[in-house]
Amino acid sequence: MNEAIKVADELEFLDASKVSIGRNAFEELVVQLPDGTIHTKVEPVRSFPVSETTRYISLLDNEGNELGIVEDVKKLTPNSRDVLTEELQKRYFMPKITKINSLDGQFGVTTWNVETSQGDVEFGIRTRYDIVTLESGRVLIKDADGNRYEIENYNKLDPKSIALLQTQM
Amino acid sequence: MHGPMSSSGRGRSHRMGSFNGKPRRKKGNNELTTKEEVPELLQKQAQGLLEKGEEIKIAVSTDLRFDSTYGKDWLLVTDKRLIAFNQSGVLGHDIREVSLTSVEDIEILEMYGNNILKVTTSENAFELARYSKRLTPKFNLAVSELEKLSALKDADSGDGGRGRGGPGAGGRRRGRRGNGGNGTQPGGDKSRCEKCGEPIPSWSGVCVNCVKKSKLIFRLFKYAVPFLHVIIPAFLLMLLIRFVAVLPPILSKELIDNILMPVGTAVSTNQALPETSWGQLQGIADTLGGWFGSMPLGGSFGHLIAIIFMMVGLRVFTMGTSSIRGYMMAWVGQNVTRRLQNETYEHLNALSIDFFHERDTGNLMSRITHDVSRLRDFVANGLQDIVGDTFTILFMCTFMFSYHWKLALWTLIPIPCLIIFTIFFGKKMSKVYHVLWKRYANISTILASTIPGVRVVKAFAREQYEISRFSDLTHQVFTGEMNAAKLGTLYRPMMEFITYSGSIIIWLVGGWQIFQGDLTLGILFMFQSYMMQFFRPVYTLCQMNERFIRAGTSAERVFEILDTPPSVADKRDAVALANIRGAIEFKDVYFSYDSEKDALNGVSFQVQPGEMIGLVGHSGAGKSTLINLITRFYDPNEGTIEIDGHNSKEIRLKALRQQVGVVLQDPFLFAGTIAENIGYSKPGASRHEIIASAKAANAHDFIIKFPDGYDTMVGERGARVSGGERQRISIARAILKNPRILILDEATSSVDTETESKIQEALERLVQGRTVFAIAHRLSTLKYADRLIVLKEGEVDEMGTHEELIAKDGTYASLCQKQTELSKIRAW
């Protein structure tokens, strides 16, 4: 009888110290893998965009095939890390809401006027299902146009914001 | 009386029409005996056939004759022979006799709605007794005794009488022989009550006739016991409120008799204002003397103001205490609800699959939500209302009788009318509303089926048909509502008239009494106020019975869940098999879902650890049943399943299921993220493991293409995930669990070829080193199987490798050939 596979052993991450990530003149990512092959126009993708932003970054080549997974951005060489972090910040834009100024609801559409880490903004939400509350108190919001916002922990907002937010949950 | 009977399960055998036209059964009729009292006439006839010293060992009566009429025939067995009496004509009997030694096989032909006992000798066969399904237990017992007598069992135990030979003409060969002959169903529940012999509704599992509603309600109050520290004060508060609420008419009486009347007379006759007294309130006035003494107005007007203040005070007091009490009882009610709901849900999770198969989801959901809140209402309000209203009436009567007993007697005259009318209308109304409720339910049913099925409706252009169906139903609701309106609009005026007639009587009799100088105006006024207050408590008390019945029914529905034991449960000494190797052996396994039709008919096979078994057969051949038995969703009726040499019934369910993984045809994803769905099989799985299993299941590539990756919400209202993707997520779930026994139930049947090949690839990884059972209609899916088991009508038809079975040129070979032909056609 042969032993059943151990699942976790099946997955090999890229050896982060041997990966180098840079940028070429066309602002494209260029990745050199541990096996020495060089790939241009590489897309980094977060496996867990919501729950794990700096770990399990999948690198896709220009055809969408996975080159490998970087287990932790921190394990990369400083240069590569900076390039990757910068690229990820560009690809994933999710301002953190720090204060809710007002909520105006009519016919199911709510207009939010909020202060975020990236500045003040106003947006509309079409259904309450676009507001997802996680157990940790984190709130994820998708507006009518597909933009993303988050509240890191709604219990830590000011009382007025909490009161406003609770009308939406 | 027991409304929910109508929601009972779909035709279990015992509910079929076997007893139509039969007089009501005597109680205790279904006692299990195979030695019945034989009628004298038959006994005499039988004696004539017997040798000396021969004794009747078994005597059983049937309830059906061979001419398909209900009636009693007899089967007698001695140690030498079988004698069957079959009535022919009015009194005469056909007597057939079979010598025991010549009997080669005894079988029970299980047919539609009735069974036949058939005996085969070397030369011919006799159908000796025909009986309805109700007597199955008795005849099963009779047959096993018969087998002992004829010593047939020994000769047969090799592999004879049972499974082999296929179905007999017109009926199935005996599949299930009740264990020792008590009418156990596969689920372990009895089909008839042991006490009264009445059928037990399958939804209930307990005999409705033998369950007392009062007992149920008593049991309900157990849930209130932990909150007695709030309930008792609330109850006392309620008594206080009820008492205070009947006081204002007394105040008005004092106001009229002691202040207004003397003052009015004095003013109209231009006399000085009389010295008014507190009347019977003097005591209270004395205690509060300090306050009133300092009143600025003094004199009669001061008294007026004081009494008005007292009236306001009483009202404010009642309001305040009522809201406090209301809050207390709401707290109790919500706590009871929560406890009941949690307990019910917890038990629901412990119940076995068959429970859920017999009931529809909506029904169970409404029990946990609707019925429980009805119970809360009853516990929190119902009973206290009943007690409170009784006290209100008592208080009022006490005051009325103590002030003027003659007028009180007159006043009470219309009350019996009030009671009779309320009960009468109440009954009518509940009937009308019951019908109405069913009609509304029909509307929901039609909406629930046509809205999801709108594609079918449109594709076949049946919109008009559906519209007219719907319109018929709304018309029915309309007529029902109008019936209710007819009663409702009649009811209120009638009640008001009765109350009004009461006050007319008071005017009449009271007026006359005033003429007699026997009554004061104040008391008359007080009686009028009480008359107006009488209506509500009387009405509530008249509804009491209905309230009890409703609460009782709801309690039954909730407690049924709590009382149903899981049909597949751990034995006390069950072993927690920590590491299953995966050897599985079926030993002559019989199983039937409904005791009517056998799903498995004596299946035996052996599987080595790590072997992959393909299960092949037409739909209904028993493939899924086989799997249900391995996962122990059900237990076999007869025979055993051994896992690593342990009887599966002796293995702890949790231990077993932790090591069995299932990938179903239409996998179910919970509302949650993809990561949560994959991790469902292994609490606390790391992200690393989740990605690894998704990779192994060929799911990783499509998952990271979602903008939210593994954090994508799926399930209802979540992202759209195609069938193949769902399939791969569920495979990832199974891989993560790392089960020792893996079951693939049509895991790839509903996906396109490319996805299938991806899934196949994933499955290939998954099956290594495990015992695998794979069901597939597409035989190509089973190319990796070590062995194939071909099932046919619940029996193992063929077994072997692909090559062996092809060489054998049997069922499998012909199935293969058909599929190859099909795939040629599809190959474009």
Side-chain angles (χ1 to χ4, degrees):
Chain A
M1 187 184 91
N2 44 347
E3 269 299 313
I5 49 163
K6 265 232 175 70
V7 175
D9 298 345
E10 285 277 289
L11 176 66
E12 273 188 37
F13 295 114
L14 289 174
D15 185 351
S17 57
K18 289 184 187 152
V19 177
S20 88
I21 303 173
R23 216 179 268 280
N24 65 11
F26 301 98
E27 287 290 315
E28 293 163 352
L29 282 197
V30 181
V31 173
Q32 183 172 23
L33 295 180
D35 63 4
T37 53
I38 295 178
H39 302 265
T40 45
K41 257 185 132 175
V42 171
E43 266 189 72
V45 171
R46 283 175 177 155
S47 295
F48 299 89
V50 174
S51 49
E52 194 78 91
T53 48
T54 59
R55 300 181 71 199
Y56 307 113
I57 309 297
S58 168
L59 302 177
L60 305 182
D61 70 9
N62 57 2
E63 276 161 13
N65 298 317
E66 185 169 81
L67 299 170
I69 299 174
V70 177
E71 194 194 1
D72 196 336
V73 174
K74 283 184 213 130
K75 288 186 184 162
L76 290 167
T77 54
N79 262 346
S80 303
R81 183 171 62 210
D82 292 346
V83 174
L84 185 60
T85 309
E86 188 198 9
E87 180 69 16
L88 285 173
Q89 263 165 12
K90 228 191 296 175
R91 287 182 172 270
Y92 292 91
F93 180 67
M94 183 151 78
K96 293 184 171 69
I97 294 175
T98 51
K99 189 178 178 207
I100 302 172
N101 291 325
S102 72
L103 286 180
D104 266 320
Q106 217 174 8
F107 307 118
V109 176
T110 332
T111 308
W112 294 49
N113 189 315
V114 299
E115 289 171 20
T116 73
S117 52
Q118 320 301 121
D120 293 1
V121 69
E122 191 173 271
F123 57 87
I125 286 182
R126 290 166 59 204
T127 140
R128 68 188 175 91
Y129 298 106
D130 283 340
I131 305 168
V132 179
T133 313
L134 306 180
E135 277 164 40
S136 53
R138 196 161 170 218
V139 184
L140 303 169
I141 298 165
K142 194 164 89 185
D143 76 2
D145 308 307
N147 297 317
R148 311 297 187 112
Y149 309 88
E150 72 164 317
I151 299 170
E152 274 192 319
N153 186 347
Y154 79 83
N155 296 310
K156 288 189 180 155
L157 291 178
D158 57 299
K160 187 194 156 202
S161 299
I162 294 179
L164 282 172
L165 188 62
Q166 269 167 352
T167 62
Q168 301 297 308
M169 299 191 305
Chain B
M1 192 189 139
H2 21 71
M5 285 276 285
S6 54
S7 64
S8 63
R10 300 133 252 165
R12 274 267 178 104
S13 59
H14 60 268
R15 294 190 67 82
M16 295 178 69
S18 343
F19 294 97
N20 291 347
K22 228 195 138 186
R24 235 183 126 68
R25 287 170 306 291
K26 273 180 278 167
K27 297 216 165 179
N29 189 16
N30 61 336
E31 255 172 57
L32 216 57
T33 168
T34 53
K35 267 200 146 170
E36 295 173 45
E37 193 78 25
V38 184
E40 223 169 295
L41 181 73
L42 295 185
Q43 212 157 10
K44 263 185 210 153
Q45 291 186 8
Q47 282 312 325
L49 297 168
L50 301 185
E51 291 169 19
K52 247 195 168 176
E54 205 175 327
E55 200 186 329
I56 296 176
K57 300 269 189 192
I58 301 173
V60 279
S61 62
T62 71
D63 55 357
L64 256 187
R65 299 207 186 95
F66 278 94
D67 62 1
S68 296
T69 56
Y70 286 109
K72 254 187 189 183
D73 277 343
W74 286 87
L75 178 69
L76 309 182
V77 185
T78 69
D79 36 17
K80 294 227 169 73
R81 67 196 87 224
L82 288 142
I83 306 162
F85 291 94
N86 303 108
Q87 191 168 339
S88 70
V90 185
L91 275 175
H93 281 94
D94 281 340
I95 304 173
R96 283 176 298 166
E97 193 192 341
V98 184
S99 147
L100 259 189
T101 47
S102 68
V103 171
E104 293 204 329
D105 191 17
I106 305 164
E107 58 188 322
I108 291 169
L109 306 178
E110 289 196 2
M111 286 170 300
Y112 192 84
N114 71 111
N115 294 352
I116 284 178
L117 188 141
K118 187 179 178 185
V119 169
T120 311
T121 67
S122 52
E123 284 146 25
N124 46 15
F126 301 95
E127 293 183 344
L128 293 182
R130 183 177 181 194
Y131 53 94
S132 77
K133 297 280 183 195
R134 191 181 165 220
L135 298 185
T136 307
K138 183 168 83 177
F139 274 84
N140 281 343
L141 185 62
V143 167
S144 45
E145 284 176 13
L146 186 54
E147 279 174 339
K148 263 179 236 153
L149 278 179
S150 64
L152 224 158
K153 211 157 189 173
D154 305 328
D156 228 15
S157 57
D159 68 348
R162 280 187 179 184
R164 309 232 164 244
R172 203 162 292 101
R173 279 175 76 106
R174 169 171 41 128
R176 227 170 53 78
R177 219 178 309 167
N179 307 337
N182 53 8
T184 42
Q185 299 272 330
D189 55 325
K190 306 221 165 42
S191 61
R192 277 171 182 277
C193 176
E194 281 182 339
K195 263 191 243 161
C196 67
E198 290 295 310
I200 294 172
S202 67
W203 61 264
S204 133
V206 287
C207 181
V208 183
N209 299 319
C210 297
V211 164
K212 282 186 189 131
K213 288 237 160 60
S214 54
K215 226 180 183 175
L216 280 172
I217 284 166
F218 180 74
R219 189 171 155 193
L220 192 56
F221 281 100
K222 276 199 223 147
Y223 287 86
V225 167
F227 311 108
L228 276 182
H229 62 288
V230 178
I231 294 177
I232 289 171
F235 181 76
L236 295 177
L237 266 187
M238 181 203 63
L239 288 188
L240 184 64
I241 292 164
R242 296 297 180 134
F243 180 73
V244 171
V246 297
L247 291 182
I250 295 177
L251 284 181
S252 22
K253 183 238 156 220
E254 298 303 330
L255 189 65
I256 291 169
D257 280 353
N258 292 322
I259 301 166
L260 296 185
M261 278 294 287
V263 171
T265 328
V267 170
S268 61
T269 54
N270 270 332
Q271 289 169 8
L273 289 183
E275 189 65 23
T276 54
S277 74
W278 283 106
Q280 299 187 12
L281 296 175
Q282 188 63 51
I284 304 172
D286 287 342
T287 48
L288 301 175
W291 287 12
F292 297 114
S294 62
M295 294 262 299
L297 289 164
S300 313
F301 194 66
H303 285 161
L304 173 71
I305 298 294
I307 289 186
I308 288 172
F309 264 111
M310 285 171 84
M311 283 173 160
V312 174
L314 286 183
R315 187 34 66 116
V316 170
F317 173 80
T318 334
M319 264 163 38
T321 22
S322 297
S323 44
I324 292 171
R325 193 194 88 87
Y327 186 80
M328 287 161 82
M329 285 319 284
W331 183 85
V332 171
Q334 294 304 336
N335 266 313
V336 170
T337 312
R338 223 183 120 225
R339 266 186 54 149
L340 253 178
Q341 276 178 336
N342 284 349
E343 203 168 299
T344 320
Y345 185 68
E346 190 187 323
H347 193 79
L348 207 55
N349 270 301
L351 283 171
S352 311
I353 296 283
D354 54 348
F355 183 86
F356 298 90
H357 277 197
E358 282 165 17
R359 293 159 185 82
D360 60 77
T361 320
N363 182 315
L364 289 179
M365 276 167 64
S366 92
R367 290 188 201 194
I368 293 185
T369 55
H370 184 80
D371 285 312
V372 167
S373 60
R374 191 183 263 175
L375 291 184
R376 174 209 46 218
D377 188 52
F378 185 78
V379 172
N381 304 322
L383 200 84
Q384 295 223 356
D385 278 354
I386 289 166
V387 178
D389 286 327
T390 315
F391 270 94
T392 301
I393 289 175
L394 275 180
F395 290 146
M396 288 199 290
C397 287
T398 317
F399 284 129
M400 279 159 65
F401 275 96
S402 65
Y403 274 95
H404 204 281
W405 66 271
K406 272 187 243 162
L407 187 56
L409 279 179
W410 282 99
T411 311
L412 292 184
I413 287 176
I415 300 300
C417 294
L418 201 65
I419 294 172
I420 290 166
F421 263 99
T422 309
I423 291 177
F424 173 75
F425 269 97
K427 278 200 175 141
K428 281 221 144 183
M429 289 291 257
S430 78
K431 255 185 219 159
V432 167
Y433 276 115
H434 197 74
V435 170
L436 199 55
W437 175 78
K438 272 191 198 154
R439 292 181 182 175
Y440 273 115
N442 285 342
I443 287 193
S444 324
T445 313
I446 205 171
L447 288 177
S449 74
T450 52
I451 294 177
V454 66
R455 276 171 54 133
V456 180
V457 175
K458 288 202 180 294
F460 292 97
R462 293 309 297 269
E463 291 95 333
Q464 268 317 317
Y465 168 74
E466 294 298 342
I467 291 168
S468 72
R469 237 170 27 128
F470 188 75
S471 137
D472 284 349
L473 289 183
T474 50
H475 182 75
Q476 282 182 8
V477 168
F478 171 78
T479 50
E481 281 285 12
M482 288 326 285
N483 278 337
K486 234 186 267 169
L487 277 177
T489 48
L490 203 60
Y491 177 67
R492 273 224 84 87
M494 287 288 257
M495 286 298 106
E496 274 159 22
F497 180 76
I498 292 172
T499 321
Y500 186 66
S501 71
S503 73
I504 293 293
I505 291 176
I506 295 174
W507 285 126
L508 191 71
V509 179
W512 181 65
Q513 296 275 344
I514 287 183
F515 271 85
Q516 303 288 309
D518 209 10
L519 186 75
T520 65
L521 193 61
I523 296 182
L524 184 81
F525 196 80
M526 182 183 98
F527 271 65
Q528 289 288 10
S529 314
Y530 281 146
M531 190 66 218
M532 293 300 154
Q533 281 189 27
F534 242 103
F535 175 71
R536 212 186 51 87
V538 167
Y539 176 80
T540 336
L541 286 181
C542 290
Q543 301 287 312
M544 181 184 76
N545 191 35
E546 202 185 332
R547 260 181 129 156
F548 261 101
I549 288 179
R550 275 196 198 162
T553 319
S554 283
E556 241 170 39
R557 281 162 60 85
V558 173
F559 289 142
E560 185 230 337
I561 296 180
L562 289 174
D563 290 344
T564 310
S567 56
V568 179
D570 276 337
K571 282 191 178 172
R572 206 170 302 158
D573 52 349
V575 283
L577 217 52
N579 281 306
I580 292 178
R581 288 186 305 121
I584 294 173
E585 185 175 4
F586 270 56
K587 284 186 175 166
D588 207 14
V589 169
Y590 287 79
F591 181 77
S592 158
Y593 289 100
D594 53 7
S595 81
E596 281 265 294
K597 184 177 178 292
D598 291 311
L600 287 186
N601 223 334
V603 170
S604 303
F605 60 82
Q606 250 184 326
V607 176
Q608 302 303 321
E611 206 176 3
M612 177 171 175
I613 300 291
L615 292 173
V616 185
H618 298 284
S619 36
K623 305 183 298 275
S624 298
T625 310
L626 205 116
I627 273 164
N628 282 340
L629 293 183
I630 296 174
T631 48
R632 278 197 78 198
F633 287 147
Y634 297 90
D635 276 337
N637 297 126
E638 253 189 272
T640 52
I641 299 168
E642 288 186 359
I643 296 175
D644 289 355
H646 295 274
N647 187 339
S648 67
K649 287 183 186 177
E650 319 254 310
I651 301 174
R652 235 173 244 292
L653 269 179
K654 203 175 165 202
L656 175 66
R657 299 228 176 105
Q658 267 168 354
Q659 298 178 69
V660 177
V662 188
V663 180
L664 296 171
Q665 180 174 7
D666 191 19
F668 186 82
L669 298 186
F670 293 96
T673 64
I674 291 179
E676 283 166 355
N677 265 289
I678 295 175
Y680 197 77
S681 63
K682 187 177 176 186
S686 70
R687 295 204 168 90
H688 185 148
E689 285 175 301
I690 287 172
I691 298 179
S693 28
K695 273 219 149 192
N698 262 342
H700 176 76
D701 289 343
F702 80 81
I703 292 174
I704 54 165
K705 299 243 159 68
F706 285 120
D708 279 332
Y710 284 86
D711 290 326
T712 307
M713 299 292 285
V714 291
E716 213 175 333
R717 299 205 175 270
R720 277 176 179 268
V721 184
S722 76
E725 290 168 348
R726 269 217 305 269
Q727 198 66 260
R728 279 181 275 170
I729 292 176
S730 86
I731 293 172
R733 181 150 70 189
I735 291 179
L736 180 61
K737 190 179 182 183
N738 196 13
R740 299 302 315 162
I741 298 168
L742 178 66
I743 287 160
L744 306 170
D745 192 349
E746 294 279 3
T748 58
S749 63
S750 59
V751 293
D752 57 85
T753 336
E754 201 199 321
T755 319
E756 190 192 346
S757 71
K758 279 193 177 163
I759 295 177
Q760 276 298 336
E761 222 180 284
L763 287 179
E764 236 179 295
R765 271 183 276 227
L766 182 52
V767 302
Q768 284 163 23
R770 307 165 204 279
T771 306
V772 180
F773 286 87
I775 296 183
H777 275 297
R778 250 182 260 169
L779 300 178
S780 57
T781 323
L782 301 176
K783 58 188 167 197
Y784 308 105
D786 298 317
R787 255 192 314 157
L788 297 160
I789 295 179
V790 185
L791 288 171
K792 197 176 180 185
E793 308 202 22
E795 290 172 28
V796 176
D797 192 36
E798 293 171 353
M799 196 161 17
T801 63
H802 174 81
E803 288 73 24
E804 283 170 14
L805 293 182
I806 291 289
K808 197 179 167 198
D809 201 17
T811 316
Y812 179 76
S814 82
L815 267 174
C816 261
Q817 202 188 342
K818 274 181 210 155
Q819 289 213 346
T820 334
E821 280 164 23
L822 261 179
S823 62
K824 269 181 205 154
I825 302 167
R826 287 207 308 203
W828 37 270

